[in-house]
Amino acid sequence: MPTHRRAALVTLASAGLVLGVVAGPSALAAPPRAASSDVHVSPAGDDHADGTLRHPVRTLERARDLVRARAGNLSADLTVHLAPGTYRRTEPLVLDARDSGTNGHRVIWQGTGDTVISGGRRVTGWHPVPGRPGLWSARAPQGLAATRQLYVDGVRAQRARGPVPVTLTQTATGYTASSDTLAHWKRPADAEFVYTSGEALWNVERGGLGQWTEPRCPVASAEGTTITMAQPCWDNSNKRVEFPDIPGRTVSMVGPGHLTNGGKPSYVENAYELLDQPGEWYLDKGSRTVYYLPRKGEDLARADVEAAAAEKLFDGRGTADAPVHDIALRGLRFSYATWLTPSTPEGFSEIQAGYTITGDKGWATQGLCRYVEGGTCPFASWTKMPGNVSVTHGQRIEFADDVFAHLGASGLELGTGSEDAAVTGSIFTDISGNGLEIGGVDGQTPASGVTVTNNHLYGLPREYHGGVAVLNGYTHDDTIAHNQIDHVGYSAISLGWGGWPDKIGDPATPNPSHDNAVRDNLIFDYMQMLDDGGGIYTQGLTGTSMADGEKVTGNVVHDQWGLGKSVYTDNGCTYETVRGNVLHHASYANVASRHTDYRDGLGNNDPTLVQDNWWEEGTADGDNKGLVTTGNRIMASPSDVPPEILGNAGLEQPYRALLERTVAAPSVPEPPSRVGTTTAGADALYVTFNPSFADGGSPVAGYTARAYDTSGAQVAEQAVSAVEFRRTALVRIGGLPSSGGPFRVTVTAANAHGSSAPSLASASLAPTAASTLPGAPTSPKLRTAATAATLAWTPPTATGDAKVVGYRVTVSDGRDPIGVTGRDVLVTQPSAKGMFRVIGGLRPGTSYTVTVAAVTAAGPGPAATVTATTRATAP
């Protein structure tokens, strides 16, 4: 299986596209035949017309009213035909029970593929800003009071950002700064601090609320050197209740009780003073002026510049007593919606997967049921990110052949009470947070019977990087199948909730989940920004028995970047079946599956079955107190897997045209992120970074790292191809001057359309000579099959005076030494997570001795040795 789309698995097409138009007609669902009761809508229509083909109405509300008058007693499906063009929204189209199908027939809102439901306001009248070469400005359009997103020809622009220009010392209400720089900014209260989390890799300065989060808090004021942060975001991010008798363990049991790294933000965003890179923008709300630094080739006199204004585009608003039902939305594109809550004093105090702690003193009570006095129930009921398109208490609602792109919250939310919904043949990309949300965690009516099939989700989340492609909360009888999910910042699919009490020896939170299936999905290039997640992540009770527990089957999951697992069964995950999957190129586990079952005092593990998977982990068959591992096969490469298994995962044949559809004009990639350095000798640095997962419409071809001295002068650079970086996860910059250090490093990404803006810089580091060798790896194991074996080990406890950048493996059959490089080498080291590599080409029934040695800039250290005999025959 290729590691970059399906045999060109995906080509994020480089063919251009006028903003708001998906290339080509809707290919997956032919428009239904017009009937006399059908309603026709056109942006050029007239709401005084009768809604016929020759006399279409203009607005979606007028079409809805005509449907409402006709839908009471249907004898056939009623179709609302939406002509090509843009339907601009200030408020969502709201449908309720009165707008539903009847007598077993549906109301179908049918677009053409070129039908755009837009919450944008076009920004025009651009002119150069005097005294600021390259900077342009325009009057904010009427009705645009605030936004968090701006798009130029469908390409997301970056809110102006940069390093915090002062040294900060945390206080109870914010910070004391080393100077009054921020107080002299035009509008310091517009600024937002971003706390980038992640595994502590090299000298990257990271804070946050757990390595799976990226919280944000606005600045309330900057007066002199006193910076006051907005409330309640600040307290919700720093005062989370901890158990008095369990040091460091929060009552939420999810992450730390306060911002780590001394509360220091990784960078600051949204200030005029930070406008210094092409593609950056800023809205001055006081003067109602939009500023933008164009990218190379952009002509603001001709470009379609859209500011996202509406917060919701469609709202299926049913109730438990009167659900909205039997409605289909097909061939529509939902774009240019925002979400303004993070810009308010609530901020974005993330806890996991886009859920946040909110409200005054939310830190003290929200979702802390039974663990603190006044804690709200159920446990872990925090605030979910909203969807720009949403349905509540909807039955038999269908989304097919739609595009969810250029959105500022979650893309689609199938919330409380959603039953028998279907999401098919649709694209989710360029979304700020979660792609698709199903159900919730508030203990209300769960979602059920939802099918998510043959969709392409990629290039997300773009702003709230702890978001996931598909988020499934408390649900039952849901199926997530035959989707392709690639190039995402964190986990691809996340299911379940409420399992964290097992951290203190309590059983997982009871919930209504059961009979959910995740099957035949293709997932790759995931966790490209954050850590502690997986391709498929599950936690909490999944059912009442192995029979009705969650089934994860037939998925192909490969090429993970962050610290995590292919299939991650986290706290309290009970009654999980992981069968028949192909799992490779994870950082330290293909399946993480052992957790104590605290529902009784027997000391067993949560019942879990790991069976008949193709993997690299190589764990032997056995029954570990209810954790059953059986029939799994070691794979040395994808060629070991029957091709029909690989070919069955991902989009089915009729839907593979989705991989060729475009949603924006081609552009340069987004910059890489989280640049870290370590010494590579007296005059050199090793550089690593998170690769660009939003590639601008064509694959990233390579990266260039540039080193700068203390004066800001560039002193060296080194390019690396994307293929080579995938293999090594390193760039080596040599020839650094003996004076002028320490050095900071930035990285750019390049594709067929040019180079990105530079990344944020690494922390400063001066190279040093490396002479002390690392220690030997520990706990070596050789897990054998007939013709292959998995070599597993743990990084050395002592690394000498440099970081481990690789391993050298030797095999007693005389083959050349095997060099082990890659992202897992780097991310497993700080937390001493185990590693593994598969050695293929072995003979059955043969004894082999294998050694593994760590490699640093000082050279290879002493080796650890292990001997084992391969199985006599293949199973």
Side-chain angles (χ1 to χ4, degrees):
M1 177 63 60
T3 58
H4 192 75
R5 320 268 166 128
R6 188 194 293 270
L9 260 191
V10 173
T11 300
L12 288 181
S14 57
L17 173 67
V18 176
L19 183 68
V21 179
V22 179
S26 174
L28 303 179
R33 296 175 61 185
S36 59
S37 61
D38 285 356
V39 176
H40 295 262
V41 194
S42 169
D46 183 345
D47 275 356
H48 293 96
D50 57 9
T52 59
L53 177 61
R54 292 188 177 184
H55 302 97
V57 297
R58 182 176 62 85
T59 66
L60 304 184
E61 280 77 10
R62 179 58 180 154
R64 178 198 61 193
D65 293 344
L66 292 175
V67 168
R68 190 172 290 177
R70 303 174 187 184
N73 189 24
L74 293 177
S75 59
D77 290 349
L78 190 161
T79 300
V80 180
H81 301 270
L82 298 171
T86 299
Y87 298 81
R88 294 191 180 272
R89 311 294 309 166
T90 57
E91 298 290 337
L93 171 66
V94 177
L95 303 185
D96 59 30
R98 296 169 293 175
D99 308 301
S100 303
T102 53
N103 299 331
H105 301 291
R106 294 170 295 179
V107 174
I108 302 170
W109 292 74
Q110 179 69 57
T112 66
D114 296 337
T115 302
V116 184
I117 312 300
S118 170
R121 294 287 176 276
R122 191 166 187 181
V123 185
T124 60
W126 292 94
H127 56 270
V129 176
R132 286 291 307 271
L135 184 65
W136 291 63
S137 70
R139 183 75 171 168
Q142 186 67 32
L144 183 71
T147 186
R148 294 179 65 88
Q149 292 84 30
L150 187 78
Y151 302 86
V152 180
D153 287 336
V155 177
R156 181 180 291 237
Q158 170 64 54
R159 287 206 309 174
R161 66 175 182 174
V164 181
V166 292
T167 301
L168 298 175
T169 302
Q170 188 173 358
T171 67
T173 58
Y175 302 93
T176 298
S178 57
S179 73
D180 62 355
T181 300
L182 266 67
H184 293 287
W185 283 4
K186 290 179 66 175
R187 295 180 59 86
D190 284 354
E192 184 173 288
F193 285 173
V194 183
Y195 303 87
T196 302
S197 305
E199 188 62 29
L201 175 64
W202 292 3
N203 70 324
V204 180
E205 295 179 352
R206 294 179 176 176
L209 291 163
Q211 54 194 304
W212 54 91
T213 68
E214 193 176 75
R216 295 165 170 262
C217 278
V219 171
S221 65
E223 299 178 1
T225 60
T226 299
I227 298 174
T228 303
M229 300 300 291
Q231 295 286 15
C233 186
W234 184 248
D235 282 353
N236 285 339
S237 303
N238 284 290
K239 288 187 175 182
R240 297 181 182 181
V241 182
E242 296 184 1
F243 286 106
D245 55 343
I246 310 176
R249 173 68 67 200
T250 60
V251 174
S252 72
M253 293 171 253
V254 186
H258 55 83
L259 294 167
T260 56
N261 190 34
K264 295 177 183 177
S266 302
Y267 61 93
V268 60
E269 194 170 278
N270 200 41
Y272 176 85
E273 289 75 11
L274 300 173
L275 286 164
D276 63 355
Q277 297 296 333
E280 288 188 334
W281 69 278
Y282 168 70
L283 170 63
D284 186 327
K285 292 183 288 187
S287 65
R288 299 192 67 251
T289 301
V290 182
Y291 295 93
Y292 180 63
L293 269 171
R295 299 178 176 98
K296 183 178 180 180
E298 290 178 336
D299 181 356
L300 295 184
R302 299 181 178 181
D304 183 4
V305 181
E306 299 278 345
E311 293 192 77
K312 195 176 287 290
L313 301 175
F314 172 84
D315 192 0
R317 198 176 294 174
T319 66
D321 295 330
V324 57
H325 59 88
D326 296 292
I327 293 174
L329 297 99
R330 301 176 180 170
L332 305 176
R333 171 170 168 168
F334 299 96
S335 290
Y336 306 126
T338 190
W339 178 41
L340 297 177
T341 296
S343 295
T344 73
E346 282 285 5
F348 188 73
S349 181
E350 189 171 23
I351 198 155
Q352 184 167 321
Y355 280 84
T356 56
I357 293 179
T358 57
D360 293 339
K361 294 192 175 180
W363 56 272
T365 60
Q366 190 176 23
L368 303 185
C369 181
R370 85 179 184 270
Y371 288 111
V372 299
E373 184 177 354
T376 61
C377 292
F379 173 75
S381 179
W382 297 300
T383 301
K384 183 171 64 174
M385 181 185 299
N388 292 131
V389 177
S390 67
V391 178
T392 304
H393 289 290
Q395 298 177 358
R396 298 176 298 283
I397 307 297
E398 175 194 5
F399 291 87
D401 192 22
D402 295 320
V403 174
F404 300 84
H406 313 329
L407 299 174
S410 292
L412 171 61
E413 177 188 6
L414 299 175
T416 296
S418 293
E419 297 181 19
D420 302 323
V423 183
T424 306
S426 295
I427 292 174
F428 293 77
T429 190
D430 190 23
I431 297 169
S432 287
N434 298 315
L436 167 61
E437 297 178 338
I438 309 169
V441 299
D442 58 7
Q444 299 183 38
T445 307
S448 63
V450 176
T451 60
V452 179
T453 55
N454 286 295
N455 303 286
H456 187 200
L457 304 97
Y458 68 97
L460 60 89
R462 294 294 299 276
E463 186 173 0
Y464 312 108
H465 294 121
V468 299
V470 179
L471 176 65
N472 191 93
Y474 292 153
T475 68
H476 62 85
D477 296 284
D478 286 358
T479 298
I480 302 170
H482 283 295
N483 303 286
Q484 178 168 314
I485 303 174
D486 60 90
H487 294 83
V488 292
Y490 181 49
S491 297
I493 300 174
S494 180
L495 302 99
W497 205 250
W500 296 287
D502 84 349
K503 290 179 178 289
I504 60 167
D506 283 356
T509 306
N511 71 75
S513 296
H514 64 84
D515 288 295
N516 291 316
V518 181
R519 58 176 177 83
D520 304 318
N521 299 285
L522 174 62
I523 297 168
F524 59 95
D525 286 340
Y526 58 99
M527 291 180 62
Q528 293 197 252
M529 281 202 69
L530 299 185
D531 296 298
D532 200 8
I536 299 169
Y537 171 94
T538 299
Q539 59 114 331
L541 295 166
T542 75
T544 62
S545 67
M546 292 302 298
D548 71 358
E550 185 174 287
K551 307 296 189 295
V552 176
T553 61
N555 304 283
V556 175
V557 183
H558 65 88
D559 286 285
Q560 176 187 111
W561 284 90
L563 185 70
K565 302 102 177 177
S566 307
V567 177
Y568 191 163
T569 57
D570 204 358
N571 295 99
C573 181
T574 307
Y575 301 126
E576 179 92 351
T577 295
V578 182
R579 179 190 291 123
N581 304 282
V582 180
L583 312 171
H584 60 108
H585 290 176
S587 62
Y588 73 97
N590 289 138
V591 182
S593 49
R594 197 204 69 76
H595 291 278
T596 301
D597 187 349
Y598 290 105
R599 294 175 300 163
D600 53 40
L602 301 178
N604 291 322
N605 292 319
D606 290 323
T608 306
L609 175 63
V610 183
Q611 182 179 28
D612 294 340
N613 300 285
W614 295 87
W615 65 354
E616 296 169 325
E617 190 167 339
T619 303
D621 288 358
D623 185 343
N624 181 6
K625 297 181 179 181
L627 165 57
V628 178
T629 304
T630 181
N632 302 289
R633 301 170 179 86
I634 295 175
M635 55 180 290
S637 74
S639 63
D640 293 339
V641 182
E644 61 271 18
I645 295 177
L646 298 176
N648 186 57
L651 300 177
E652 295 176 287
Q653 188 61 49
Y655 295 90
R656 291 184 182 172
L658 286 177
L659 304 180
E660 306 302 327
R661 295 177 70 180
T662 62
V663 297
S667 182
V668 299
E670 285 297 294
S673 61
R674 300 190 178 176
V675 181
T677 54
T678 190
T679 187
D683 67 344
L685 291 174
Y686 283 122
V687 183
T688 191
F689 48 88
N690 290 81
S692 305
F693 64 90
D695 60 16
S698 66
V700 173
Y703 301 94
T704 300
R706 296 177 174 86
Y708 299 86
D709 64 16
T710 54
S711 72
Q714 180 178 323
V715 294
E717 70 175 54
Q718 181 63 53
V720 64
S721 71
V723 171
E724 179 67 5
F725 183 75
R726 177 180 288 275
R727 186 182 71 82
T728 64
L730 292 173
V731 182
R732 186 181 188 276
I733 300 184
L736 297 173
S738 57
S739 61
F743 303 101
R744 288 180 174 264
V745 177
T746 66
V747 183
T748 57
N751 65 6
H753 309 293
S755 293
S756 72
S759 67
L760 296 170
S762 69
S764 296
L765 185 69
T768 57
S771 57
T772 306
L773 295 175
T778 61
S779 304
K781 298 178 179 65
L782 200 59
R783 304 163 180 162
T784 60
T787 59
T790 296
L791 173 65
W793 71 91
T794 303
T797 55
T799 62
D801 50 12
K803 302 295 185 182
V804 174
V805 295
Y807 293 89
R808 180 175 295 175
V809 173
T810 65
V811 184
S812 58
D813 59 5
R815 69 182 70 188
D816 290 338
I818 301 168
V820 175
T821 59
R823 189 66 170 177
D824 59 336
V825 170
L826 310 182
V827 300
T828 54
Q829 180 183 339
S831 53
K833 298 294 186 183
M835 291 190 61
F836 50 82
R837 282 295 188 276
V838 175
I839 302 169
L842 304 181
R843 297 173 59 186
T846 303
S847 177
Y848 289 90
T849 297
V850 179
T851 68
V852 56
V855 179
T856 71
T865 303
V866 62
T867 299
T869 300
T870 54
R871 295 177 186 173
T873 59

